[in-house]
């Protein structure tokens, strides 16, 4: 009987630790001087930083932090040439948002794909 209880408890604990964190598909468009230079798509886990570089002149990091069932805060760090800027933007899921850095622009479309 103790063996069965031990196995049941182990199964319950194992199943509780297998829940996945929220995951997002982040579609982006990168513009430099008004010209589209790339449109990368990333799969990002909540609260984890994702990074992408486009050539040697442009790179960005982003972190998606869920706010509620309809929105998330996206923290981006954009490096264009020698300029480094950080933006905090609240986005609605499935609605495009823009991070504008003068001559450079980054559009974001965040879609929740798992929770």
């Amino acid at each position: 009987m103790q063996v069965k209880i031990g196995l049941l408890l182990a199964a319950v604990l194992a199943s509780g630790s297998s829940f996945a964190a929220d995951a997002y598909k982040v579609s982006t468009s990168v513009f430099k001087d008004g010209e589209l230079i790339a449109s990368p798509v990333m799969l990002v886990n909540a609260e984890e930083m994702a990074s992408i570089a486009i050539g040697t002149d442009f790179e960005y990091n982003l972190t998606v932090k869920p706010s509620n069932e309809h929105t998330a805060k996206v923290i981006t760090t954009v490096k264009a040439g020698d300029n480094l800027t950080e933006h905090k933007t609240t986005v609605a899921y499935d609605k495009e948002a823009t991070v504008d850095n003068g001559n450079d622009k980054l559009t974001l479309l965040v879609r929740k794909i798992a929770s």
Side-chain angles (χ1 to χ4, degrees):
M1 183 67 168
Q2 287 181 342
V3 172
K4 287 182 182 179
I5 292 173
L7 290 175
L8 180 61
L9 182 59
V12 169
L13 291 175
S15 69
S17 63
S18 67
F19 289 114
D22 289 346
Y24 303 89
K25 177 181 174 184
V26 181
S27 302
T28 62
S29 295
V30 179
F31 296 86
K32 181 153 183 75
D33 297 324
E35 182 179 332
L36 177 66
I37 59 172
S39 296
V41 177
M42 298 180 277
L43 298 179
V44 180
N45 289 326
E47 307 281 342
E48 292 182 12
M49 186 187 321
S51 300
I52 196 158
I54 300 167
T56 56
D57 291 339
F58 193 91
E59 64 182 73
Y60 62 92
N61 303 323
L62 65 85
T63 305
V64 178
K65 296 185 176 203
S67 298
N68 60 45
E69 63 186 61
H70 303 289
T71 64
K73 180 181 282 187
V74 178
I75 301 167
T76 57
T77 303
V78 179
K79 183 179 179 199
D82 292 331
N83 296 330
L84 182 68
T85 57
E86 181 176 290
H87 300 273
K88 295 178 183 174
T89 308
T90 299
V91 299
Y93 298 133
D94 301 317
K95 303 275 185 194
E96 189 173 79
T98 301
V99 175
D100 199 338
N101 189 23
N103 294 335
D104 305 313
K105 182 169 75 169
L106 174 67
T107 64
L108 306 164
L109 180 70
V110 178
R111 174 168 287 138
K112 192 171 187 178
I113 58 174
S115 52

